[in-house]
Amino acid sequence: MNALREKARELLAAKTVQVVIGYGRGSGGSARAVFMRAPAQAAELIFDATCLQNLAVYLMKPEVRKLGKAALVATPAALRTILQLAAENQVADNSLLALAPVGEDIMPLATFAAIEAHVAAADHDLSAAEGAELGKFAAMGLEERRRFWEEQFSRCLKCYACRAACPLCYCTRCTVECNQPQWIPVPAHDLGNLEWNVMRAMHLAGRCVNCGDCSRACPVGIPLYLLNQKLISDVSSVFQARSGMAARSDNAMSTFKPNDPEDFIR
Amino acid sequence: MPDFEPKIVAFVCNWCTYAGADLTGTSRMKYSPQVSIIRFPCTGRIDFMLLLKAFASGADGIIVSGCHPNDCHYSSGNFHARRRWIIFRGLLDFLGIDVRRVQFSWYGRWGRSRATSACAAWA
Ligand code: SF4
Ligand code: SF4
């Protein structure tokens, strides 16, 4: 934590960056995002087990972009988000500084190449517990799965907090707001909840970095991570692809191989 | 339910399946009136949201059909579509929706009898 505060103070004092995006103490012991623009503020920075939010979400917000060059306290998922945003031409190389906490230390990563090397050294497979949970669903009957999701989606309020929290849901005009035709009915009613949740998952297929922020943001606790992880697992097993590993890469869903499986096509 | 008459919506590509269906008509072959055909410029345009819309509007079954691999009028629309169908089918199944309700196929222009029999199999 001291290394982090020291680094932030130094970066702001030298004007290497105009803003440091990090974690500060929120209410009830939680962590919240803080945006530091003066060296004296650096003392508020924290980094501990409560710091789960993927701060890379702010890289796409116009209000934050306006502040100038940013240094970002980046968890492994946030680092992958940066690479994924780069692959989608949303951030430029050398335009930000990632601060990766490594134990008590802090590792500044200034280029995509440095981030790539850091990301490549870690394991990004779904964890054993995540795999086991998916396996549980595969073992259920179709009807059981349908009932499970019907109940889950019936609680969706169409608040779109999951969308706002996701660093890769950055379109300025979302299909949700389109009303000619209206793809997703507006009222907080069951109607359209399945469509919305399928759409969210599908539009993130091959792009989601499994940071978990959508699930954490959902006010009614819908396990959105299950949908993401199902698609992550399919994209990896069928297309041998993984998001957020390289700053120059094709998205799994916007490319193809001539020999992709088609046993289901008659 | 002997008198169950399923509503089938067929999302088809203009260049192959639609031409095949057209030929079915001009050849005076019969196919089920329960099938509504919607013509698209390419399979690549058949977004999964359209399929969900069809289900929400009361379709019992959906046919999605386009050109064979390497036959796409725009060279790769069907390859891109195939990737999305793979992922979409997996997701539907995960959500407990019977994927047999969506039938994917490649049809050539010459496939008119196959198109007819596919429609017949549903009805
Ligand atoms: S979909 Fe959820 S888990 Fe995936 S990147 Fe977005 S917020 Fe993170
Ligand atoms: S955050 Fe939860 S309740 Fe809100 S739109 Fe997303 S899934 Fe629905």
Side-chain angles (χ1 to χ4, degrees), chain A residues 1 7 22 51 53 73 96 99 123 136 138 140 149 158 161 173 175 183 185 193 195 198 205 209 238 245 261-262:
Chain A
M1 213 128 84
K7 187 79 201 162
C51 301
Q53 191 194 351
V73 178
L96 59 98
L99 302 174
D123 176 17
K136 216 177 67 195
M140 281 183 191
W149 287 109
K158 300 195 190 77
R173 291 190 63 209
T175 312
W183 296 104
N193 286 357
E195 284 84 349
V198 169
V209 296
V238 187
M245 299 302 287
E262 56 170 37

Side-chain angles (χ1 to χ4, degrees), chain A residues 66-133:
Chain A
K66 246 182 5 215
L67 297 177
K69 184 167 177 175
L72 182 92
V73 178
T75 56
L79 292 174
R80 280 183 63 198
T81 305
I82 294 171
L83 294 179
Q84 185 59 31
L85 289 172
E88 297 174 13
N89 298 314
Q90 299 301 317
V91 291
D93 205 357
N94 298 301
S95 69
L96 59 98
L97 181 66
L99 302 174
V102 180
E104 279 298 296
D105 233 356
I106 195 85
M107 190 187 274
L109 305 165
T111 62
F112 291 157
I115 298 177
E116 280 167 3
H118 191 85
V119 162
D123 176 17
H124 302 283
D125 287 340
L126 293 184
S127 72
E130 288 168 339
E133 201 170 4

Side-chain angles (χ1 to χ4, degrees), chain A residues 165-168 200 204 208-214 228:
Chain A
C166 178
L168 293 161
R200 192 202 60 79
L204 284 149
C208 168
V209 296
N210 201 19
C211 69
D213 272 3
C214 47
N228 304 332

